Amino acid sequence: MALALGIGSAALALETYEVVGDAIPRPIGGLAGDVERGAAVVRDRERGNCLICHEGADPSEPFQGSIGPPLKGVGLRLDAGQIRLRLVDASLLNPRTVMPPYFRTENLHDVVVAYRGRPALSAQEIEDVVVYLASLKDD
């Protein structure tokens, strides 16, 4: 399934991606991710805000969540393509998920004004988070 999404009324196109099974096997836009930038996005309480729902790999981070699965060892449980799909739009796997779509702009409700018409994370940020999470291979 190939998806191309538009942003707002100007219809600027987001990078396209192809869903294969439970994964997006190829990096969005052919971009290479960076582990350090990805770790920063995961810890950032404004951009990714991953730790509001997930326990991260760093126990020194305050106020970590327990709604989602722990991030520690996620690279053992999922491959990069599987992680990518869950970040882009986990509702493609589970329509009832509470995981927000980080790379979708359509059919969203109660979106903060600053994010209306644009994805929560850019393609580059998605790829950065993917390589960081895929690197977490310790149980």
Side-chain angles (χ1 to χ4, degrees):
M1 164 196 302
L3 298 176
L5 305 173
I7 299 177
S9 60
L12 298 173
L14 292 177
E15 292 86 345
T16 60
Y17 54 85
E18 181 179 15
V19 175
V20 178
D22 69 343
I24 299 173
R26 288 186 296 284
I28 299 171
L31 298 168
D34 177 86
V35 171
E36 289 182 27
R37 288 191 314 243
V41 171
V42 167
R43 287 190 309 269
D44 190 308
R45 300 298 176 140
E46 296 292 320
R47 289 185 301 167
N49 204 13
C50 303
L51 299 181
I52 197 167
C53 294
H54 299 275
E55 181 181 341
D58 180 357
S60 69
E61 283 288 332
F63 310 113
Q64 297 186 41
S66 60
I67 294 170
L71 300 180
K72 184 176 182 181
V74 70
L76 292 172
R77 299 187 303 272
L78 301 171
D79 67 30
Q82 292 170 312
I83 294 168
R84 187 175 294 109
L85 177 58
R86 283 149 179 82
L87 292 171
V88 165
D89 189 355
S91 73
L92 295 172
L93 295 171
N94 175 5
R96 298 176 54 111
T97 186
V98 296
M99 174 86 169
Y102 283 93
F103 200 69
R104 176 165 56 101
T105 60
E106 298 175 355
N107 301 317
L108 301 175
H109 305 282
D110 300 321
V111 177
V112 174
V113 174
Y115 287 98
R116 288 184 187 157
R118 70 179 192 92
L121 295 177
S122 69
Q124 183 63 67
E125 290 169 319
I126 293 286
E127 293 308 321
D128 293 340
V129 173
V130 166
V131 298
Y132 169 64
L133 293 178
S135 77
L136 299 179
K137 298 193 185 238
D138 293 333
D139 274 337

